[in-house]
Amino acid sequence: MERIRQRFSFGSKIQDVKLRKRKSQLYLKEDDHQIKGALRFAVFSVTFRLINCFLVQTSFVPDEYWQSLEVAHRMVFNYGYLTWEWKAGIRGFSYPLVFAFIYKLLHLVDCDSVYLLIWLPRIIQALLAAFADMKFFFLVRTLEDPEVAKWTLFCQLSSWFTWYCCTRTLSNSIEATITCLALCYFPLSASKTGSSKKYLALVALAVVVRPTALIVWLPLLMYHFWQEDNKLRLIAHDYIPIGGLAIGISTLIDCICYEKWTFVQFNFLKFNVFHGVADFYGSHPWHWYLTQGFAVVIGPHLPFFLHGCSLAFKRYKILLVAVIWTVGVYSLLPHKEFRFIYPVLPFCMIFCGISVANLTTWRRAAAFSLLASNLTAALYTGLIHQRGTLDVMVHLQTLCDVSSSSTSPQPDVLFLMPCHSTPFYSHVHCPVKMRFLECPPDLGEEWSIDEAERFYRDPLDWLRKSFPYKSSLPTHLVLFDVLEEEISLFLHGNNFMKTAEIFHTHFPEGRVGGSIFIYQRH
């Protein structure tokens, strides 16, 4: 009878303890399962982006070296080249300072090999990109069902342009990564991870790295302000303190590094927007992004993006507005590049994921076509197209051994190529004498002479005037194959012999040839 009484005594302490014990064990199993799943996903993401990093061995644009690694190399090792942007004060030191810190640590532990100087910054970029991928997946999983989240991640990872750019040391690459992270904390209507302070801090960081990041975020900031009930509190507690702190810290860093008062964000706008200095590096018609740029960046995902927009326009109207706004604003600026609109690509991938998830009959065929087409583009652009300008620096690294020898003549390298075609001291890491054709815009300064344009008007005449005596000749010349015939008299007359021929691209254009030649004087 006592046992029966105990079994029907629902309020007893013994029964309560047993129930709580069972419940906690169930939750522990669920937590363990979630933790293991998150760890597996983290390992996959990191592994994927590291493979991505090492399978991108080509050059894209000069800024990935000249505005980051080269600056960091000069800060730490006291030799390197600063382009005109740093003389004019339109570049901030906050981003190169990260690589300078890495270089300094390598130097302190005596591990500053050229291989680590090149690859470690890119590995850091890859790890940040992997973290952004994870956060992006978890964001979509809170907004949509697991099926949509899975296909959105698939679209993000299969994007050829993201593969091509995300591990590069470009300010646009870190801007895109930070933008993706900020989106994860943006207070979207169905988001459970929204945090005003976190997303605003990340937006401020993106603007510090690249002031034009504000273009992407302006409609989102306005949307947040419009949706907020306590607008005065948002301005006073979030917008002003976070924005002011970011600008204050970045200005302090720039003033210390420039050793004078410098407000980079203002200088950037003054030179690139008001004075139109960016036009010096080329201009395109207003419709270029609409007819070429956006289609190339989003690639084979374009039809899925358009389909996704028709399905989820109402739910993610603000993201679509941000994409259209960004493309529209950049279309108004004469100087256009693919990388400028790269930060809106994660926004587009949400629509692509919704599109693929809603396909029924053709889902597997669509996924296979996306994977095959993007993989082909990613591997070709990452391993083959425009690799010569990096490979040539590997050849020039051997000159460091000659430079350290007192018996051999000291190397003197001249790059007869469009300016900034190759990396510089950050990819050689020894103070061998090197020179290239400079091309700063005409700013009325004594250093703003477009040497490259003068050279290409009459290469032979420029060479004769620059080197009137054999004793002043460089020991090595680096040039594209398209220039060889034009300066052949100079090469043969001064005993220059071709020592290396390096493949660069299957699509030579203008002054950029399909191969790079190294000539050595004997």
Side-chain angles (χ1 to χ4, degrees):
M1 290 296 291
E2 185 65 27
R3 289 181 180 177
I4 294 172
R5 192 180 296 111
Q6 288 178 358
R7 290 181 67 182
F8 284 92
S9 180
F10 295 103
S12 69
K13 191 177 285 186
I14 298 172
Q15 188 70 13
D16 289 345
V17 170
K18 285 183 179 179
L19 284 171
R20 283 201 299 268
K21 204 168 184 180
R22 284 178 180 173
K23 198 171 182 180
S24 63
Q25 285 178 348
L26 180 63
Y27 283 157
L28 280 172
K29 287 181 180 179
E30 289 179 357
D31 290 343
D32 287 345
H33 181 71
Q34 289 178 354
I35 291 170
K36 287 178 181 178
L39 285 174
R40 283 196 297 268
F41 181 42
V43 170
F44 167 76
S45 297
V46 169
T47 304
F48 182 84
R49 286 305 176 198
L50 287 177
I51 293 171
N52 179 175
C53 175
F54 289 110
L55 289 183
V56 174
Q57 303 171 13
T58 55
S59 61
F60 181 22
V61 290
D63 280 9
E64 61 183 302
Y65 316 112
W66 293 87
Q67 308 300 347
S68 54
L69 301 185
E70 188 68 18
V71 180
H73 192 278
R74 182 183 176 91
M75 291 173 72
V76 175
F77 302 106
N78 297 319
Y79 65 95
Y81 187 90
L82 296 181
T83 60
W84 70 269
E85 291 97 331
W86 299 93
K87 297 173 185 176
I90 70 170
R91 297 285 184 178
F93 277 92
S94 300
Y95 183 50
L97 200 60
V98 175
F99 302 128
F101 178 73
I102 296 170
Y103 284 1
K104 190 65 178 180
L105 288 179
L106 291 174
H107 180 60
L108 290 174
V109 297
D110 199 25
C111 291
D112 54 319
S113 68
V114 66
Y115 185 83
L116 285 177
L117 294 183
I118 293 170
W119 285 103
L120 195 53
R122 291 199 53 203
I123 290 172
I124 300 297
Q125 294 274 153
L127 295 176
L128 290 173
F131 180 63
D133 290 337
M134 292 173 58
K135 295 292 291 183
F136 185 59
F137 170 73
F138 292 135
L139 167 69
V140 180
R141 199 169 64 176
T142 65
L143 298 174
E144 300 285 342
D145 58 66
E147 193 72 8
V148 173
K150 180 183 72 175
W151 287 111
T152 302
L153 179 66
F154 172 80
C155 291
Q156 170 76 356
L157 297 183
S158 64
S159 168
W160 83 270
F161 198 78
T162 300
W163 174 282
Y164 186 59
C165 290
C166 73
T167 64
R168 296 182 183 274
T169 52
L170 267 172
S171 59
N172 306 90
S173 299
I174 193 65
E175 177 196 352
T177 299
I178 296 171
T179 295
C180 188
L181 289 171
L183 181 64
C184 298
Y185 296 107
F186 184 77
L188 291 167
S189 56
S191 175
K192 298 176 183 176
T193 59
S195 170
S196 295
K197 285 184 169 56
K198 288 181 180 179
Y199 103 82
L200 286 171
L202 288 165
V203 170
L205 180 59
V207 173
V208 166
V209 171
R210 190 168 179 84
T212 50
L214 191 59
I215 294 174
V216 178
W217 280 98
L218 191 59
L220 292 161
L221 291 169
M222 293 176 65
Y223 172 82
H224 180 203
F225 179 76
W226 183 261
Q227 295 291 323
E228 185 66 30
D229 294 328
N230 195 337
K231 293 178 172 55
L232 185 61
R233 179 182 175 84
L234 179 65
I235 294 172
H237 287 214
D238 293 340
Y239 280 8
I240 292 176
I242 293 173
L245 184 64
I247 291 175
I249 293 174
S250 67
T251 302
L252 178 63
I253 291 171
D254 292 330
C255 289
I256 293 172
C257 294
Y258 276 111
E259 298 181 346
K260 63 178 181 180
W261 167 253
T262 306
F263 189 30
V264 167
Q265 285 75 18
F266 173 75
N267 291 341
F268 186 91
L269 289 173
K270 182 179 74 172
F271 279 92
N272 286 309
V273 179
F274 303 137
H275 292 175
V277 173
D279 305 356
F280 177 78
Y281 294 103
S283 60
H284 296 82
W286 67 269
H287 55 77
W288 185 81
Y289 281 119
L290 301 176
T291 56
Q292 298 179 50
F294 183 73
V296 169
V297 170
I298 199 169
H301 288 84
L302 181 58
F304 300 96
F305 169 69
L306 297 175
H307 179 229
C309 289
S310 68
L311 295 174
F313 170 74
K314 290 184 179 179
R315 292 205 303 278
Y316 301 111
K317 189 185 298 182
I318 184 57
L319 297 183
L320 187 57
V321 167
V323 173
I324 295 171
W325 162 264
T326 302
V327 173
V329 170
Y330 277 117
S331 295
L332 299 176
L333 303 177
H335 181 61
K336 300 174 177 66
E337 294 186 38
F338 296 115
R339 61 191 173 109
F340 291 168
I341 59 171
Y342 169 42
V344 300
L345 207 50
F347 299 2
C348 301
M349 292 302 116
I350 292 178
F351 294 100
C352 295
I354 292 170
S355 170
V356 178
N358 278 273
L359 296 176
T360 53
T361 309
W362 299 99
R363 183 188 294 175
R364 185 172 296 181
F368 178 77
S369 66
L370 274 176
L371 185 61
S373 54
N374 278 283
L375 186 63
T376 302
L379 292 179
Y380 180 78
T381 55
L383 294 172
I384 299 172
H385 181 59
Q386 294 185 173
R387 68 168 299 131
T389 50
L390 291 179
D391 290 342
V392 75
M393 301 310 291
V394 177
H395 284 263
L396 296 181
Q397 287 168 16
T398 59
L399 299 179
C400 293
D401 299 330
V402 178
S403 179
S404 60
S405 173
S406 58
T407 56
S408 305
Q410 294 302 296
D412 183 356
V413 183
L414 174 61
F415 294 87
L416 295 176
M417 314 168 85
C419 63
H420 310 127
S421 291
T422 68
F424 217 47
Y425 285 106
S426 64
H427 281 56
V428 175
H429 192 45
C430 70
V432 61
K433 186 178 180 182
M434 297 194 298
R435 183 187 164 196
F436 66 96
L437 302 173
E438 299 187 33
C439 60
D442 186 6
L443 301 175
E445 304 286 346
E446 61 181 29
W447 44 262
S448 56
I449 299 173
D450 191 347
E451 193 177 29
E453 192 59 38
R454 290 184 179 182
F455 168 77
Y456 279 106
R457 283 177 194 163
D458 191 339
L460 274 178
D461 182 64
W462 186 91
L463 287 167
R464 291 192 186 107
K465 288 179 179 178
S466 299
F467 306 105
Y469 308 108
K470 286 190 178 292
S471 59
S472 62
L473 287 169
T475 59
H476 295 77
L477 296 176
V478 182
L479 55 130
F480 282 112
D481 53 1
V482 292
L483 184 65
E484 183 184 40
E485 185 177 351
E486 198 167 355
I487 63 170
S488 58
L489 287 175
F490 177 83
L491 296 173
H492 297 314
N494 291 285
N495 298 321
F496 279 98
M497 302 291 292
K498 189 190 300 182
T499 57
E501 180 175 347
I502 302 158
F503 169 79
H504 180 60
T505 179
H506 290 118
F507 304 98
E509 182 181 3
R511 296 168 180 175
V512 178
S515 298
I516 297 173
F517 297 154
I518 299 178
Y519 275 85
Q520 184 175 354
R521 183 162 57 89
H522 293 277

